[in-house]
Amino acid sequence: MGKVNSMKNTQVILIIIGCLILVSFEGTSQDFTPVKDLALLEEKINASAANIESIKSDFIQKKQLEYLNETIVSKGQFWFKKENQLRWAYQEPYEYAIILSNGKFIIKDESNVSEHDIESNQAFREINNLIISMVRGNLMEQDKFNIEAFENDGQYLVKLVPKDSNIRNVISNMEAYFDKKDLTVTRILMHESESDYTELSFINKRLNEPVPDTVFSADF
């Protein structure tokens, strides 16, 4: 049980970082060539982000840990609503949700709910500010990542290396894959170490559909 709780706590940070990429932005990196004009790509991503009012998506998470002999697969749903309401809910193999809404950071672990005030906690405040920056379309302007971008015929690949040592202690680098047709993410790969990683695949995405505020509460 201790290992499960430790994995859940690590996932809180990984999920939020992943969500930051999801709203603002298969194959292998060998298929990609460097993007010639990073500023132009940033413009495209900003324009796409500005038109996104809400997202609902199913996700599949695969987690590989060195001390385990199998890949852990989890499934669930993700909701986002502008400006800064977010819900990430695991449904299999356990129920676990992370919610950002109305200045609160809420963790729902089955029937147990913990609530934190974003403004009173520097880490949660930073997460909230990053989300707002992302929604406004200027995440790539943030001086928080070293960024490289690549492309092939159908996708962009954005590689992000956190500059902050506290974030690097949790995740060393990230790869985000975007569909060129609508500039939405299809896959995120987050490397925690050389051998440990988390892969998130997003399917059945619905953009700009009505999302009630009740989704972003612990009672939902």
Side-chain angles (χ1 to χ4, degrees):
M1 187 66 179
K3 287 184 178 179
V4 172
N5 287 333
S6 176
M7 286 173 56
K8 287 180 179 178
N9 291 336
T10 301
Q11 283 170 173
V12 171
I13 300 175
L14 295 178
I15 287 166
I16 296 301
I17 294 172
C19 291
L20 295 176
I21 302 171
L22 170 64
V23 186
S24 65
F25 318 120
E26 305 243 355
T28 63
S29 57
Q30 284 77 14
D31 300 325
F32 290 78
T33 58
V35 168
K36 294 180 180 178
D37 193 336
L38 187 59
L40 180 59
L41 176 58
E42 181 182 335
E43 260 183 52
K44 292 179 179 179
I45 291 175
N46 289 351
S48 175
N51 291 324
I52 294 177
E53 299 293 329
S54 69
I55 297 175
K56 181 180 180 181
S57 179
D58 300 326
F59 70 85
I60 299 173
Q61 175 184 291
K62 296 180 181 179
K63 191 170 185 65
Q64 179 64 51
L65 297 173
E66 187 176 14
Y67 66 84
L68 294 178
N69 294 323
E70 61 179 340
T71 302
I72 302 170
V73 179
S74 307
K75 298 180 180 180
Q77 288 187 308
F78 165 81
W79 291 265
F80 169 82
K81 185 176 180 179
K82 213 171 185 176
E83 286 286 335
N84 56 348
Q85 291 181 292
L86 176 149
R87 183 187 187 95
W88 187 281
Y90 287 88
Q91 297 165 339
E92 300 176 27
Y94 48 77
E95 294 186 359
Y96 186 77
I98 298 162
I99 305 161
L100 286 177
S101 182
N102 297 322
K104 301 294 183 182
F105 186 100
I106 303 167
I107 299 173
K108 185 177 182 180
D109 189 351
E110 296 180 346
S111 60
N112 300 315
V113 177
S114 60
E115 185 175 297
H116 310 271
D117 185 78
I118 290 173
E119 287 303 317
S120 65
N121 184 293
Q122 183 177 355
F124 293 153
R125 187 167 63 249
E126 182 70 10
I127 289 169
N128 185 70
N129 290 341
L130 277 172
I131 290 176
I132 292 173
S133 296
M134 166 271 298
V135 172
R136 290 174 178 167
N138 62 355
L139 180 61
M140 291 182 70
E141 297 172 5
Q142 295 286 317
D143 189 30
K144 299 182 184 296
F145 304 98
N146 291 314
I147 299 174
E148 293 181 288
F150 305 85
E151 64 180 321
N152 62 17
D153 289 342
Q155 292 183 309
Y156 289 111
L157 163 58
V158 177
K159 293 186 176 182
L160 302 100
V161 177
K163 294 181 179 180
D164 188 283
S165 60
N166 292 321
I167 297 178
R168 285 201 308 273
N169 287 336
V170 179
I171 182 165
S172 61
N173 63 83
M174 297 175 281
E175 298 177 6
Y177 295 80
F178 300 90
D179 190 324
K180 279 189 170 181
K181 290 182 291 188
D182 58 12
L183 287 177
T184 62
V185 75
T186 58
R187 178 173 168 248
I188 296 173
L189 192 61
M190 296 178 280
H191 299 273
E192 293 123 60
S193 67
E194 289 186 4
S195 56
D196 296 349
Y197 65 85
T198 301
E199 179 185 40
L200 292 166
S201 298
F202 299 95
I203 54 177
N204 302 323
K205 291 189 299 291
R206 279 83 75 199
L207 303 179
N208 296 334
E209 292 184 357
V211 178
D213 288 339
T214 52
V215 168
F216 308 101
S217 71
D219 296 329
F220 180 75

